Amino acid sequence: MSAGANNGPASKRRELAIRAGLSICVCILLGCSGKPQVPPPENLGEPPLVFDQGLSTDEVVANVYLDATSSMKGFVKADQIEPYLGTIEKAEQVFAIGWSKASVHCFKFGAKIVPLPGESCHLYVFKEGFYNLPKSEDITRIDEILEKSPQDAKNLTLVFTDLYQDRADIGRLLRAFRDSTIPRKLSVGIVGIRSNFRGKIFDIGARSFSGEWDTKGNRAKFRPFYLFIIGRRGNVSHFMDELFRRSKDTGPDQAVLLSPDVTASLVEWSKTKRLIEQGLVERRSLFQAPKSRFSYGSLQVRGRSTCTLKVEADYAPVKYAPTLDWNHVPQPRVQVRTFQVTTDGKLQGVDLARVVDGDLQLQNNKLVFTLTIHSDRWAGRGLYAFDVRPNLEADSFRLPTWCKGWSVTEEERLGLKNPASFDGSKTLNLFEFISGLWRAMLESHKPQLGALYLYLEK
Amino acid sequence: MFNKPRSSLALPVIGVLAGLGVGLPVLYFLEPLVLDPVVSPQAGQTIEDWLREFRQLETLLVILSVAVGLLWHASTFLDAGRSGDLRLVWVGLGILFLAFACWMAVRRLPSVQEGSSGIMLCVAVNALLPYYMASAAFTVASHKYAPWGSRALRKLW
Amino acid sequence: MKNYAISIGGSGARCMEALVYLCAAGIGPQDQDLTLVFVDPDTNNGNLKATVELVKLYEKLQPEKQDGYSYLGTRVTTKEPQIWSPFEGPKPTLKDFFSYETLRASESGRDAAYLMEVLYTHGQREATLDVGFRGKPSIGAAVFSESVNFAQKAPWRQLAEEIAQAVGRGEQANIFAVGSVFGGTGAAGIPTIPRLMTGETLARNPKIALGCTLLLPYFTYSVPSGVADEVYAHPDLFMLNSKEALRYYRSFEETYNRVYVLGAESQAGQEWGGVGGEKQRNLPHFIDFLAGLAALNFFASANPTEHRVCILAVDQKNCLKWTDIPDQDNVHPKVAKFARSMFFYLKLIWPRLLDIREGATGVQRTPWYVDLFEKKKLQVSDSKTYEFLQDQAKFASLSLRWLRDMQKNQGGFTLELVNSLAIEDPDDPKSGLKESVFDKEFMFQGAGKAPKLSRMWGNLCCIADKGLPPTIGTLRALQVGIYESCS
């Protein structure tokens, strides 16, 4: 190549321009391919689950268990066997109409379970001899039902009983629930109904007196009986809906559904509405998107001393389930676990307690999460992962008032000197039983409202 | 009415190409670099989505800006240039379109928490730069010095 | 090739004026020299002075070197003295010229004196000849014979040397004379001068072509009663004089290679301008224009071996249109373009330059000014630049007046050369130059598709934008740009 023609200043400028252009292209390409990798949200800890989707099945097999112990006789001896008889009848109607395909099997039980032919269970309750169980069998053994009832998704177990249980019975019953029902992730619906009664009430007072209780049509004196509905949440909830539609004698304010889930739909990032993002910018391109079935937010922290993230999520409590008692949700209401994402895509726990403050409020039936990030106290740079969850305990939930209102404690019973002063419109240890069952469910399933996964770039 | 040689008809075409050739790359490559670090969209909107909406609206504005440049060219073709250079028309078109662009941006762009001034600066650039490129360097000879800075610009070649 | 045009007398000067405008229009010999010589004892003749001033203006405006552009494409030069008169002192008379008193007093000269008495009346001998030969060719012939000395007198000596050098190099020299045969100076000079040129220093050279235009009567005037002088050109005698002159010229057929004869049966009336002097200023006539074309025709096709006479006819009696003009396809468009460019200059360009000079307008409104002047670091306020542009305005004004006056000076003719309504007053661009008339049909019978004035402005801006060859200067670039804008 000859010197001279190509070495002028114009050609040097051209060469410089070509080099600069190539460098820019290389940088852009490198920039595009250089996004860091992050582990998926599942790696941040146990992800929240919904145990039961809450959908009813098309077909149901109903096993109706009628308490035939002598304490139940009073319901059918009254001048009017209502609403006890009517409730059983309505239950049968629910199965006939509420599902496209339903079969009903009737049983009577005391200490043992005895199948009854036909599907019209209500016809048995006022038959002569229905309640004439041998003394050895005149014990209400609901636990036997729990252990022996079928486990299919389409099975629904109904137990009509007055729940005549002392403390020992309660303990055994709770154990049975704990061993049979709870592990199967089944839900337990409890409907309380007060009915006419004329008969004996046993084990009154410290000396276990028995006494007559005659409601004489006085609703204030109606004695409660209970309908347990055990099965998949969807079927239980559907049964309760249909029953309440047909029955004037009971309703949602006399029912509770104890379920493995406390929310019908988990809170997650993609379902939230972002209210405030001060000092934060949502950005999709911070990292290579990990494969995950959970949604997450990716945010960039901008240069401010304090950044605030406030998001709102729908609060979808399970129908008929115990409600959140906001005054009993412990502080901090939100638990924030923080990790740093290392250069090789691994998670390293990091303490950012001084940096991050979380809060949760329930406003207008919406869960409002607030995260305050004090950037001026946050020295680190890089990519971080946050797991933000509501901090719930069993005491955070409140059972319906009727659970306590219809209950009489063992102490109150033992303290009665006069049997005549016993209030037959209440049930012994009702509240202990229901709250014990609920606590057992919470402890076993540890249900959660959901989790917010966040990746932040500082 | 038609006071210019027919060969002058090529100028508006080249002006359009120049306007688009400068305006669109600035919009697609340069402005994201400027806006990304300064704009904070409203809660719930990612910066990528905001930039995409911004680009969509501003692409339309760039095209309209070039169209306003064509209006300028049309006025220069209709006018002989004897009594004046239509500089007021050029300035007026620019100002009117800038006002329109700002109004459109305020009405149509998603609101932001931060970065409004940067956004409006980019809107102004998108409104004026293509118009300027389409007009300043490619106005027909009888009005070629009407656009501000055209004399200095034309010294470059 | 060398070209020489000799104007003899006042009519010759008017034809020379037309020749100058035709050269400005680009019809003259391109990239060639044309030397003009004015012969007239009446050095103060109005037409002559005007033409000489026009030539000076042309010389100032023409480019230093020919550059191939049509406008002012012929290089026009003059010799010193620009106007040659056979007389040197004031108030010459025939008597003094031939030293009549001395001859009469001497023995040897007395016969010559007596001959003079026979040939010339007392009044003719005593008449002052600084106003011309008073319509007496006989006076002029005698004077010219005695005075034209190619070997001694300027400009004839320089002419002779120049022609000798040119033919020595193998170039052809074309010499063309123009004058009237019905007056005094022209009638005397036309046969005399070439005879003297060929009979003396320059022998008949095969490289020298001689041509002339003989102007027959084409105008007349009324002599007011009470004119004191007896000796003057009587218009009644024009026809008779012409007849006699032609008969005489027939014997000189061999002198000129080509003779153009021009005249008009219907004669235009002129005002009496006196016997001679400044007041003798006749209006331009289309015969002058045709005479100018004749000269250019000669320069373009002169042949030293031929001898022929050229005459011109019109299609319709007493009506002259562009279709009657020789070489119309070449002449008409160029004259039209020239006229349009002069109009354009006066109507739009010159007023704008004045505005810029006074600061009444911003230069960005005048792109061609920025491109042609400012970029070359020239300002209209510079004295030399302003003077040049002012001269251009003057030249444009003169040319448009010439066209207007020629159109109006129809005599009994119907002329369709130029629409004079457009150029009523070239010095008043606002109301004297009518754009609406100009845009419609300025030069009659169309001369190709002519752009309107506004289009010409746009054209000039485009031409200035594209730029002209760097070899031509700014002022020449403006001239060329204006001229080419009119296409």
Side-chain angles (χ1 to χ4, degrees):
Chain A
M1 191 154 144
S2 65
N6 289 336
N7 284 345
S11 65
K12 278 188 182 153
R13 278 200 294 273
R14 202 161 40 238
E15 196 185 317
L16 198 62
I18 291 168
R19 281 190 183 170
L22 280 172
S23 304
I24 290 168
C25 290
V26 166
C27 287
I28 289 170
L29 284 168
L30 283 176
C32 290
S33 62
K35 282 193 207 169
Q37 286 187 323
V38 298
E42 289 89 329
N43 290 20
L44 272 67
E46 195 65 39
L49 293 171
V50 168
F51 297 103
D52 187 337
Q53 293 303 318
L55 302 170
S56 62
T57 54
D58 291 332
E59 185 188 338
V60 71
V61 175
N63 297 312
V64 180
Y65 294 86
L66 302 168
D67 190 345
T69 56
S70 52
S71 62
M72 294 296 291
K73 208 188 285 186
F75 287 108
V76 300
K77 288 295 185 191
D79 293 331
Q80 287 183 345
I81 319 173
E82 290 299 336
Y84 177 64
L85 181 65
T87 304
I88 300 172
E89 212 172 353
K90 286 185 175 74
E92 290 164 10
Q93 285 172 7
V94 164
F95 289 121
I97 297 167
W99 276 264
S100 53
K101 193 177 174 191
S103 56
V104 178
H105 306 279
C106 306
F107 301 85
K108 70 185 230 188
F109 77 98
K112 292 182 183 169
I113 299 167
V114 175
L116 299 169
E119 290 193 350
S120 301
C121 309
H122 70 284
L123 295 174
Y124 292 98
V125 297
F126 51 83
K127 270 197 178 149
E128 195 61 43
F130 183 77
Y131 302 97
N132 294 338
L133 291 177
K135 206 167 177 177
S136 60
E137 292 177 17
D138 192 20
I139 308 166
T140 307
R141 292 293 301 270
I142 299 171
D143 53 303
E144 287 287 311
I145 297 169
L146 298 178
E147 283 165 18
K148 292 181 169 91
S149 60
Q151 300 175 35
D152 288 342
K154 58 184 189 239
N155 282 111
L156 205 60
T157 301
L158 266 66
V159 181
F160 287 87
T161 179
D162 61 352
L163 203 61
Y164 180 75
Q165 306 275 306
D166 61 18
R167 197 161 272 169
D169 297 330
I170 294 291
R172 188 173 60 234
L173 186 54
L174 284 174
R175 253 196 318 278
F177 270 108
R178 207 179 280 124
D179 294 342
S180 308
T181 308
I182 291 175
R184 294 175 195 169
K185 312 267 191 300
L186 298 176
S187 297
V188 180
I190 306 172
V191 181
I193 306 120
R194 279 192 161 129
S195 186
N196 263 308
F197 190 90
R198 188 168 68 195
K200 268 197 178 156
I201 296 174
F202 300 94
D203 283 338
I204 300 170
R207 296 189 181 188
S208 297
F209 290 120
S210 57
E212 291 289 328
W213 185 259
D214 187 355
T215 58
K216 291 178 183 163
N218 183 358
R219 280 192 175 271
K221 291 177 77 173
F222 276 21
R223 182 158 174 75
F225 71 94
Y226 301 93
L227 170 56
F228 283 80
I229 313 110
I230 303 162
R232 305 296 291 183
R233 175 159 67 86
N235 284 338
V236 172
S237 182
H238 182 58
F239 176 88
M240 289 166 81
D241 290 337
E242 293 296 318
L243 181 68
F244 298 146
R245 198 181 311 162
R246 287 167 177 77
S247 171
K248 298 190 301 281
D249 302 305
T250 187
D253 54 347
Q254 287 169 207
V256 68
L257 198 158
L258 304 177
S259 162
D261 300 304
V262 293
T263 177
S265 158
L266 283 174
V267 166
E268 61 173 321
W269 179 259
S270 61
K271 293 176 188 167
T272 60
K273 180 181 168 189
R274 270 76 89 187
L275 301 176
I276 295 171
E277 282 176 347
Q278 270 177 9
L280 295 165
V281 169
E282 282 193 55
R283 179 185 291 279
R284 278 198 298 270
S285 55
L286 285 179
F287 44 80
Q288 289 185 41
K291 283 189 183 142
S292 170
R293 58 195 170 91
F294 293 99
S295 59
Y296 53 86
S298 66
L299 300 127
Q300 192 178 44
V301 177
R302 288 275 167 93
R304 270 194 173 206
S305 59
T306 305
C307 306
T308 305
L309 174 67
K310 195 168 185 178
V311 304
E312 182 184 88
D314 287 331
Y315 176 47
V318 169
K319 203 174 182 184
Y320 309 126
T323 53
L324 261 181
D325 182 359
W326 210 248
N327 295 325
H328 284 94
V329 176
Q331 292 283 5
R333 295 199 180 116
V334 155
Q335 182 191 48
V336 182
R337 292 165 57 240
T338 50
F339 306 85
Q340 184 162 19
V341 180
T342 58
T343 48
D344 54 354
K346 301 255 187 311
L347 286 171
Q348 189 177 335
V350 62
D351 180 14
L352 293 176
R354 285 189 67 242
V355 173
V356 181
D357 294 326
D359 189 31
L360 177 61
Q361 300 281 340
L362 185 65
Q363 294 170 359
N364 299 325
N365 218 36
K366 301 273 186 192
L367 291 167
V368 179
F369 292 82
T370 307
L371 268 189
T372 305
I373 300 170
H374 303 280
S375 304
D376 50 353
R377 301 178 204 164
W378 193 354
R381 296 192 77 80
L383 207 51
Y384 292 80
F386 287 12
D387 179 342
V388 180
R389 300 182 190 215
N391 204 8
L392 301 175
E393 291 176 350
D395 287 339
S396 306
F397 295 92
R398 186 175 58 230
L399 291 167
T401 49
W402 65 269
C403 295
K404 210 160 194 174
W406 290 16
S407 179
V408 61
T409 64
E410 193 76 34
E411 288 70 26
E412 287 168 341
R413 176 184 77 101
L414 290 171
L416 282 173
K417 292 191 173 58
N418 184 1
S421 63
F422 178 72
D423 185 355
S425 69
K426 293 192 178 184
T427 304
L428 182 65
N429 294 323
L430 174 68
F431 183 76
E432 281 75 15
F433 166 67
I434 297 176
S435 63
L437 178 56
W438 177 231
R439 193 178 290 276
M441 272 197 166
L442 289 177
E443 280 171 5
S444 175
H445 298 310
K446 295 185 180 45
Q448 295 180 35
L449 289 174
L452 291 178
Y453 294 112
L454 302 172
Y455 293 92
L456 278 87
E457 184 194 62
K458 173 84 169 39
Chain B
M1 179 179 98
F2 193 77
N3 295 304
K4 311 294 182 292
R6 286 194 199 278
S7 57
S8 304
L9 284 172
L11 288 169
V13 174
I14 301 170
V16 163
L17 293 173
L20 292 174
V22 169
L24 290 177
V26 164
L27 170 62
Y28 277 79
F29 297 113
L30 192 60
E31 286 177 8
L33 296 176
V34 169
L35 292 175
D36 194 299
V38 302
V39 168
S40 291
Q42 289 291 351
Q45 186 175 38
T46 64
I47 186 69
E48 290 90 352
D49 289 339
W50 187 90
L51 280 172
R52 193 189 68 241
E53 285 193 49
F54 175 81
R55 238 188 333 263
Q56 277 172 359
L57 178 70
E58 293 300 301
T59 300
L60 181 63
L61 271 179
V62 165
I63 292 170
L64 285 176
S65 175
V66 168
V68 172
L70 277 179
L71 270 180
W72 161 248
H73 284 293
S75 62
T76 62
F77 271 76
L78 294 172
D79 179 65
R82 283 162 48 177
S83 49
D85 59 356
L86 299 182
R87 177 171 275 190
L88 276 178
V89 171
W90 184 81
V91 171
L93 282 174
I95 289 175
L96 281 174
F97 187 69
L98 177 64
F100 170 75
C102 292
W103 175 77
M104 278 290 287
V106 166
R107 283 210 52 182
R108 294 283 187 189
L109 277 178
S111 55
V112 295
Q113 298 180 66
E114 284 174 355
S116 299
S117 44
I119 293 165
M120 292 317 288
L121 178 66
C122 289
V123 167
V125 167
N126 293 333
L128 294 177
L129 182 64
Y131 173 64
Y132 189 81
M133 289 312 298
S135 58
F138 300 101
T139 298
V140 74
S142 56
H143 296 78
K144 65 180 184 178
Y145 294 124
W148 286 335
S150 53
R151 281 166 77 174
L153 189 66
R154 284 168 186 268
K155 279 183 189 166
L156 295 175
W157 60 80
Chain C
M1 196 169 302
K2 293 285 185 192
N3 302 299
Y4 302 90
I6 304 172
S7 142
I8 308 174
S11 300
R14 285 203 311 279
C15 297
M16 211 60 92
E17 182 186 16
L19 177 62
V20 169
Y21 288 128
L22 291 170
C23 287
I27 304 171
Q30 293 297 293
D31 299 329
Q32 290 180 26
D33 288 358
L34 172 62
T35 303
L36 304 181
V37 182
F38 296 92
V39 174
D40 200 328
D42 183 6
T43 56
N44 285 324
N45 179 277
N47 283 118
L48 178 62
K49 280 181 81 170
T51 304
V52 169
E53 287 302 313
L54 180 70
V55 171
K56 282 183 187 166
L57 210 50
Y58 188 108
E59 284 180 302
K60 282 204 248 180
L61 292 173
Q62 69 184 347
E64 285 182 13
K65 279 191 305 191
Q66 297 312 96
D67 48 22
Y69 290 102
S70 303
Y71 181 64
L72 305 173
T74 303
R75 182 147 191 83
V76 169
T77 58
T78 52
K79 297 290 179 202
E80 284 299 324
Q82 283 177 325
I83 304 171
W84 181 79
S85 168
F87 304 116
E88 286 169 3
K91 305 260 186 249
T93 62
L94 191 67
K95 182 182 83 173
D96 292 336
F97 189 79
F98 286 107
S99 306
Y100 168 76
E101 295 299 339
T102 309
L103 285 173
R104 203 161 196 281
S106 71
E107 275 290 328
S108 57
R110 195 171 292 139
D111 288 340
Y114 288 149
L115 185 59
M116 270 194 77
E117 287 168 11
V118 168
L119 292 173
Y120 302 104
T121 64
H122 175 76
Q124 288 173 348
R125 292 198 303 275
E126 295 289 337
T128 54
L129 300 178
D130 57 352
V131 291
F133 297 125
R134 298 176 177 260
K136 303 295 175 204
S138 54
I139 299 176
V143 170
F144 281 136
S145 304
E146 188 61 24
S147 61
V148 176
N149 187 339
F150 284 88
Q152 301 292 331
K153 289 196 179 173
W156 308 110
R157 189 184 73 244
Q158 289 89 338
L159 278 175
E161 284 169 5
E162 204 176 279
I163 292 169
Q165 283 168 10
V167 299
R169 287 193 296 269
E171 284 181 49
Q172 182 170 306
N174 302 320
I175 304 168
F176 189 87
V178 59
S180 66
V181 301
F182 53 89
T185 312
I190 290 278
T192 311
I193 290 175
R195 182 165 64 82
L196 292 171
M197 281 172 73
T198 57
E200 291 199 22
T201 309
L202 294 167
R204 183 167 284 280
N205 189 301
K207 285 284 184 188
I208 297 174
L210 290 177
C212 73
T213 292
L214 301 179
L215 296 171
L216 305 181
Y218 62 96
F219 67 89
T220 185
Y221 48 83
S222 301
V223 179
S225 55
V227 170
D229 281 313
E230 289 180 1
V231 186
Y232 58 86
H234 290 260
D236 306 331
L237 296 175
F238 281 173
M239 282 300 189
L240 189 61
N241 290 345
S242 302
K243 183 182 168 190
E244 291 304 317
L246 288 172
R247 196 158 58 181
Y248 175 66
Y249 293 153
R250 228 180 136 176
S251 64
F252 289 98
E253 266 182 39
E254 299 292 314
T255 306
Y256 282 100
N257 300 114
R258 201 180 295 171
V259 174
Y260 297 84
V261 184
L262 284 168
E265 193 175 336
S266 178
Q267 292 160 17
Q270 301 282 351
E271 283 191 17
W272 166 252
V275 176
E278 277 184 11
K279 286 188 185 163
Q280 193 177 70
R281 181 99 192 250
N282 298 325
L283 290 172
H285 197 277
F286 66 85
I287 292 289
D288 306 333
F289 174 61
L290 293 172
L293 286 176
L296 295 177
N297 177 260
F298 175 74
F299 292 135
S301 58
N303 185 348
T305 60
E306 72 173 358
H307 294 279
R308 74 183 166 107
V309 175
C310 303
I311 55 175
L312 196 61
V314 293
D315 281 338
Q316 264 180 282
K317 192 177 174 182
N318 292 338
C319 177
L320 183 75
K321 299 181 196 171
W322 280 105
T323 47
D324 298 314
I325 304 296
D327 196 19
Q328 177 230 340
D329 292 338
N330 179 43
V331 171
H332 187 194
K334 285 185 177 166
V335 173
K337 193 170 168 181
F338 171 69
R340 297 180 73 83
S341 64
M342 296 298 104
F343 188 103
F344 180 37
Y345 186 82
L346 284 177
K347 180 74 176 172
L348 295 182
I349 306 298
W350 178 237
R352 181 57 63 90
L353 288 168
L354 289 175
D355 283 344
I356 292 171
R357 185 168 181 260
E358 286 160 22
T361 184
V363 296
Q364 83 279 354
R365 293 181 168 204
T366 315
W368 51 261
Y369 181 81
V370 175
D371 291 338
L372 294 176
F373 284 75
E374 285 210 344
K375 282 189 181 175
K376 304 282 171 70
K377 308 260 191 291
L378 217 57
Q379 299 285 342
V380 66
S381 51
D382 299 338
S383 56
K384 276 191 177 169
T385 306
Y386 180 69
E387 194 186 315
F388 182 93
L389 297 168
Q390 200 173 36
D391 286 340
Q392 180 63 66
K394 208 182 295 181
F395 185 80
S397 176
L398 288 172
S399 62
L400 290 181
R401 282 177 198 283
W402 175 75
L403 279 170
R404 179 198 66 190
D405 294 342
M406 181 171 66
Q407 172 66 35
K408 284 182 171 176
N409 189 22
Q410 297 180 16
F413 255 76
T414 303
L415 270 186
E416 288 181 5
L417 296 180
V418 65
N419 193 337
S420 61
L421 290 173
I423 43 178
E424 280 179 1
D425 184 1
D427 291 327
D428 179 7
K430 284 199 175 121
S431 45
L433 293 171
K434 303 250 189 313
E435 183 175 349
S436 53
V437 178
F438 176 84
D439 281 343
K440 279 190 193 132
E441 199 174 52
F442 180 45
M443 293 300 288
F444 288 118
Q445 294 152 6
K449 216 167 168 205
K452 293 188 179 173
L453 208 59
S454 294
R455 177 65 178 261
M456 287 156 65
W457 178 274
N459 288 348
L460 177 60
C461 292
C462 289
I463 290 169
D465 178 54
K466 278 184 198 140
L468 287 146
T471 48
I472 67 173
T474 296
L475 298 170
R476 178 62 176 161
L478 179 65
Q479 286 177 330
V480 168
I482 291 167
Y483 196 68
E484 296 304 322
S485 302
C486 302
S487 301

